[in-house]
Amino acid sequence: MSEFVITPPATPSVAVAGSNARFPVRRVFCVGRNYAAHAREMGKDPDREPPFFFMKPADAVVAAEGVIPYPPATNELHHEVEMVVALGGGGAGVAVEDALALVWGYGVGVDLTRRDMQAVAKEMSRPWDLAKGFDASAPCSALRPVGEIGHPADARISLEVNGVVKQSGTLKEMIWSVAEVISHLSRFVTLAPGDLIFSGTPAGVGSLQPGDRVRGVVDGVAEFDFEVGAAAQEA
């Protein structure tokens, strides 16, 4: 029987609300510009683009509580609050009408972004993996199963920094619904249990500073509250 040559890393996971159980994370997909107002603030036309996706490492997902570290190599850390979709089923070529049956539950998280690094990468036509996929770049609340909350479709989603509302919208403002996002994504990859989908952010993305208090919520689904840690010291 084969043995690993090093100790296998721990499986990334997310808490389940009201339970000691945890949801194992396989992959993390993020939908770009899925709210029209946010697409416009990023200088794009939301009516002309099909959904597009980028990924974060599974271990970028951390509990959205306590202190979240301010990452190195940036002076412009941005917040993007998003409803998180947790898949309990999978498949390829999933029809829109079948997509919600794959969903295990929902939460709320933040797509943290090194915006200055992303801007340089875009200008130089380079990938922006490190602008999006750094350590602790996907803080996430505990998840709640569909059996408790159903499939939220018009709930309010918002984010506050130091008590001031910075982002606010409703899920019905999403350009592509959760079912449509799942169906479209499944055309390119085979989805599987344990996959998380960050479903897009409303307008109002902006910078975070060390010491900021960040609170996010999807009404009736989940909420989080964390503090941004001190800036990393460059070597």
Side-chain angles (χ1 to χ4, degrees), residues 17-101:
S19 170
N20 291 325
R22 299 189 64 85
F23 183 90
V25 178
R26 177 175 178 259
R27 292 181 295 188
V28 181
F29 299 97
C30 303
V31 187
R33 296 195 291 265
N34 197 20
Y35 286 73
H38 172 58
R40 294 188 185 100
E41 77 177 349
M42 300 302 287
K44 301 298 180 180
D45 184 343
D47 298 322
R48 295 185 179 178
E49 293 183 353
F52 74 92
F53 303 88
F54 58 91
M55 298 182 70
K56 291 177 180 273
D59 63 2
V61 179
V62 295
E65 59 187 28
V67 177
I68 300 297
Y70 193 102
T74 185
N75 293 309
E76 196 175 357
L77 178 67
H78 273 205
H79 57 75
E80 300 187 14
V81 66
E82 314 204 6
M83 185 172 73
V84 179
V85 183
L87 299 188
V94 178
V96 172
E97 57 269 25
D98 298 327
L100 291 183

Side-chain angles (χ1 to χ4, degrees), residues 92-119:
V94 178
V96 172
E97 57 269 25
D98 298 327
L100 291 183
L102 304 184
V103 179
W104 182 90
Y106 296 91
V108 60
V110 190
D111 166 17
L112 292 176
T113 304
R114 289 166 163 154
R115 191 70 74 198
D116 45 0
M117 182 181 289
Q118 184 187 38

